[in-house]
Amino acid sequence: MTRPFSSTALVAALVALSPMGALAGSVYLNGVLIDGVKNQRFEKATVRIDEAGNIHIEAAGYRVSTVNPQPPAPAPSTPAKPAAPESTAPETPPAAPGASSSAAPAVAPTPPVAPQPRPDRITQRYWLVTEQTVPGMTDYDIDVYVNSRWLRKLRGNDDQVVTDITKHLQPGGNQVMLIARKIVSGQKRSDSPKHVFRVIIGEGNEGGGNVMIDNPLIRFQTTAAESKDVTQEYTLTTR
């Protein structure tokens, strides 16, 4: 009949009483071999010694996990490979940029970004169009420059201007500058911000006597409420 005891006290007593204590059997906890475990105390345990001298400890709430490391498998022996002459090309080509090897991942250098070639000709048509709520009310004239060359003057007293400026542009980037100059002779005609003088430049098409700008690229405007000259520069990229 087994009785619960303190496993530490009982095992120590059994080893002390046995003349062959050094040759005692193994120790099992909940059926798992725990030989070599030290400095462990079990509470509320049942201890049993079998006929072979093995000590069996049954303790609720204790769980033993075993780890059995597997020895590394011996590497298969392969015959030595004769060295290739210096002039002989390697048997396998080098990895392509960005490919990885078994030893370490290869990091391919980032190739430089080639500049985009500038188009040799302009395939779109570019138009300049003016809009005014009431002609002349802003007291402004506007000078237009393309690539540092004066193109034309847009007068506030003139009617709407619609002109094709494609021939004045070069393939790729173009610098466009608009200078609005206040022209006042006598009393100002208006101070209202609702009186607007606007210039639009963009890609468009002509048909039926009308011009349709379907891709506005530059918008410039002044109003009668302004009193100083206004200058704006833009980059117009043709295609």
Side-chain angles (χ1 to χ4, degrees), residues 111-124:
V113 178
Q116 296 295 326
R118 199 170 84 174
D120 56 355
R121 65 187 184 91
I122 300 175
T123 60
Q124 303 294 319

Side-chain angles (χ1 to χ4, degrees), residues 31-138:
V32 180
L33 180 67
I34 61 170
D35 282 351
V37 175
K38 298 180 180 180
N39 298 324
Q40 181 65 49
R41 179 183 179 87
F42 301 100
E43 300 291 344
K44 298 180 180 180
T46 300
V47 179
R48 177 177 61 84
I49 304 175
D50 63 16
E51 61 277 5
N54 298 314
I55 300 174
H56 299 266
I57 303 174
E58 301 292 335
Y62 292 87
R63 182 176 179 181
V64 183
S65 299
T66 58
V67 178
N68 297 319
Q70 298 294 333
S77 58
T78 55
K81 189 175 182 179
E86 293 184 0
S87 58
T88 304
E91 293 184 1
T92 57
S100 61
S101 64
S102 58
V107 179
T110 303
V113 178
Q116 296 295 326
R118 199 170 84 174
D120 56 355
R121 65 187 184 91
I122 300 175
T123 60
Q124 303 294 319
R125 295 182 67 181
Y126 294 86
W127 298 81
L128 182 150
V129 178
T130 63
E131 295 178 349
Q132 295 192 68
T133 51
V134 180
M137 294 300 291
T138 62

Side-chain angles (χ1 to χ4, degrees), residues 28-223:
Y28 294 85
L29 173 61
N30 296 334
V32 180
L33 180 67
I34 61 170
D35 282 351
V37 175
K38 298 180 180 180
N39 298 324
Q40 181 65 49
R41 179 183 179 87
F42 301 100
E43 300 291 344
K44 298 180 180 180
T46 300
V47 179
R48 177 177 61 84
I49 304 175
D50 63 16
E51 61 277 5
N54 298 314
I55 300 174
H56 299 266
I57 303 174
E58 301 292 335
Y62 292 87
R63 182 176 179 181
V64 183
S65 299
T66 58
V67 178
N68 297 319
Q70 298 294 333
S77 58
T78 55
K81 189 175 182 179
E86 293 184 0
S87 58
T88 304
E91 293 184 1
T92 57
S100 61
S101 64
S102 58
V107 179
T110 303
V113 178
Q116 296 295 326
R118 199 170 84 174
D120 56 355
R121 65 187 184 91
I122 300 175
T123 60
Q124 303 294 319
R125 295 182 67 181
Y126 294 86
W127 298 81
L128 182 150
V129 178
T130 63
E131 295 178 349
Q132 295 192 68
T133 51
V134 180
M137 294 300 291
T138 62
D139 289 319
Y140 272 106
D141 290 345
I142 301 175
D143 288 294
V144 182
Y145 293 81
V146 175
N147 296 325
S148 301
R149 293 184 179 181
W150 182 79
L151 180 63
R152 65 171 296 164
K153 183 183 291 290
L154 307 172
R155 299 185 183 276
N157 289 327
D158 293 343
D159 294 331
Q160 184 181 36
V161 174
V162 179
T163 181
D164 187 344
I165 64 170
T166 307
K167 64 181 180 180
H168 301 286
L169 302 174
Q170 63 187 13
N174 295 265
Q175 299 303 314
V176 177
M177 181 169 62
L178 296 103
I179 302 176
R181 293 183 171 90
K182 195 74 171 182
I183 308 298
V184 179
S185 56
Q187 188 176 0
K188 292 178 61 176
R189 299 183 185 183
S190 172
D191 290 322
S192 174
K194 295 182 179 180
H195 290 148
V196 179
F197 189 179
R198 182 179 296 112
V199 180
I200 300 174
I201 300 176
E203 298 175 357
N205 295 285
E206 180 183 16
N210 298 314
V211 172
M212 176 70 70
I213 295 183
D214 49 22
N215 185 20
L217 301 174
I218 294 175
R219 294 178 181 270
F220 172 83
Q221 71 177 33
T222 58
T223 70

